[in-house]
Amino acid sequence: MELNYILVVKEKDMKKIDIIIVDDHILFAEALHGLISDFEDFNVLAVFANGEELVTYFSSENKHPDIILMDIQMPIMNGVEATKWIKINQPQIKVLGLSMECEEETILKMLRAGARGYMLKVIQPSLLEHALKEVHTTGFYYTKNVANTLLNSLNAIHEKKIDEEIILKEKELEFLKLTCTEMTYRQIAEVMYLSPKTIENYRESLFAKLNVKTRIGLVLFAIKEKIVTL
C-alpha cells in the first residue's frame, strides 16, 4: 500500500518584528522587555537608558529595529531629541512614544519630532501588542485616550479623510498650519493679524468640521493628510 505523507512546516522561523526599548526606568524597561518577548510576533533587540545609548548602537553595524519604544523624560538625550535624530538618520524606523507624560504640549513635541504614535505606560498588554502591530503595518497608531486631553479625537483622526464635503477656507488652512507649530493661540492671532476671538472661532470651526476636540486632533489631521510635513 502506498502511503502519502503531508509535511507540516511550522512558522516559527518567520521573521519577527524587531523592537528596541529606550527608557531610563530600569525595572520598567526590563519588565517591558519580558512582556514584549512573550508576544508571538515580536523580538526585543536591545534596551537602552537614554537616547545617547541608542545613537551609539546605530554607530556600529548592529541589526536595526522595525520599531523603537521611546520614553520622553530621560537624562543626557531625551525622547524628543532621540526621535528627531531617528527621523533624520534612520527615517525607515518607526518611533512609538510610551511615557507617563500626558501633557498636551509634550505629546505635540513627540509628534512633531516624528513619532508615529503615543501611549501612556498604563496601557494594557493586549493593547500594547495591538499598537505595535498597527504601527508596523499601517505606520501609525493613536489611542482614543491619551489621558483625558485627547478625549475621542485620535480615533477620528486615524480614520478621517479629506473629501468633497470638507472644505477648508484659506484662513482656516493658514490657521491649521500655524497650529502645528509651537506658537500659542495668541501668537497665532498676532501672526495672522487677527483678534484672539477670531482665532478662537477658527479653532471651533475646525473642531466641528474635522470632528476633533483638541489641538492634538488638529495636528494629527494635518500630518495624516499631509497638510504639513514634519
Side-chain angles (χ1 to χ4, degrees):
M1 176 183 297
E2 182 179 353
L3 297 178
N4 295 319
Y5 293 93
I6 300 175
L7 179 62
V8 177
V9 179
K10 293 184 178 181
E11 297 184 351
K12 62 182 180 181
D13 293 330
M14 292 181 64
K15 183 184 183 302
K16 291 192 173 185
I17 301 169
D18 290 320
I19 306 291
I20 280 182
I21 299 167
V22 187
D23 195 306
D24 65 323
H25 295 92
I26 298 174
L27 290 179
F28 176 82
E30 289 301 325
L32 191 60
H33 182 183
L35 175 65
I36 295 175
S37 296
D38 287 338
F39 293 160
E40 183 178 358
D41 299 321
F42 296 89
N43 172 59
V44 178
L45 292 178
V47 178
F48 300 116
N50 56 64
E52 185 177 86
E53 291 183 5
L54 177 69
V55 172
T56 300
Y57 175 85
F58 284 110
S59 66
S60 301
E61 294 184 3
N62 294 308
K63 186 177 183 181
H64 287 193
D66 299 294
I67 301 171
I68 297 174
L69 274 174
M70 188 80 74
D71 191 16
I72 312 303
Q73 298 296 338
M74 296 182 291
I76 304 176
M77 186 178 191
N78 65 39
V80 174
E81 294 167 340
T83 300
K84 288 179 179 178
W85 188 93
I86 290 296
K87 181 182 177 182
I88 294 170
N89 296 279
Q90 302 291 341
Q92 78 283 1
I93 298 175
K94 303 174 181 69
V95 175
L96 182 59
L98 183 64
S99 176
M100 292 301 295
E101 292 283 328
C102 60
E103 293 296 324
E104 185 171 309
E105 181 180 351
T106 301
I107 299 170
L108 281 170
K109 285 182 179 179
M110 275 298 285
L111 296 178
R112 291 192 193 104
R116 303 299 188 93
Y118 193 102
M119 298 179 299
L120 296 179
K121 289 182 177 179
V122 294
I123 190 171
Q124 293 292 326
S126 58
L127 187 55
L128 173 61
E129 183 178 13
H130 171 70
L132 290 171
K133 289 180 178 179
E134 280 290 300
V135 169
H136 182 66
T137 56
T138 70
F140 294 92
Y141 179 78
Y142 300 109
T143 60
K144 290 177 66 176
N145 293 299
V146 177
N148 293 327
T149 57
L150 295 189
L151 301 175
N152 296 318
S153 65
L154 297 186
N155 255 12
I157 291 302
H158 189 68
E159 299 173 357
K160 196 74 175 176
K161 299 290 183 181
I162 293 181
D163 56 35
E164 295 180 354
E165 297 179 0
I166 300 177
I167 300 175
L168 299 182
K169 298 176 182 178
E170 183 178 350
K171 285 293 185 181
E172 288 177 333
L173 190 58
E174 181 182 357
F175 168 73
L176 181 58
K177 291 178 180 178
L178 291 172
T179 298
C180 298
T181 68
E182 296 185 0
M183 285 190 287
T184 65
Y185 286 128
R186 182 170 294 277
Q187 289 171 331
I188 291 174
E190 292 174 357
V191 169
M192 294 183 68
Y193 300 103
L194 297 171
S195 69
K197 181 62 178 177
T198 301
I199 289 299
E200 182 178 330
N201 291 338
Y202 282 141
R203 182 190 63 192
E204 295 304 317
S205 174
L206 287 178
F207 280 174
K209 284 185 178 182
L210 307 181
N211 189 28
V212 302
K213 298 180 180 180
T214 67
R215 183 170 181 172
I216 293 177
L218 296 177
V219 173
L220 295 181
F221 184 86
I223 293 172
K224 188 166 177 55
E225 299 302 333
K226 295 181 173 56
I227 293 173
V228 296
T229 56
L230 302 180

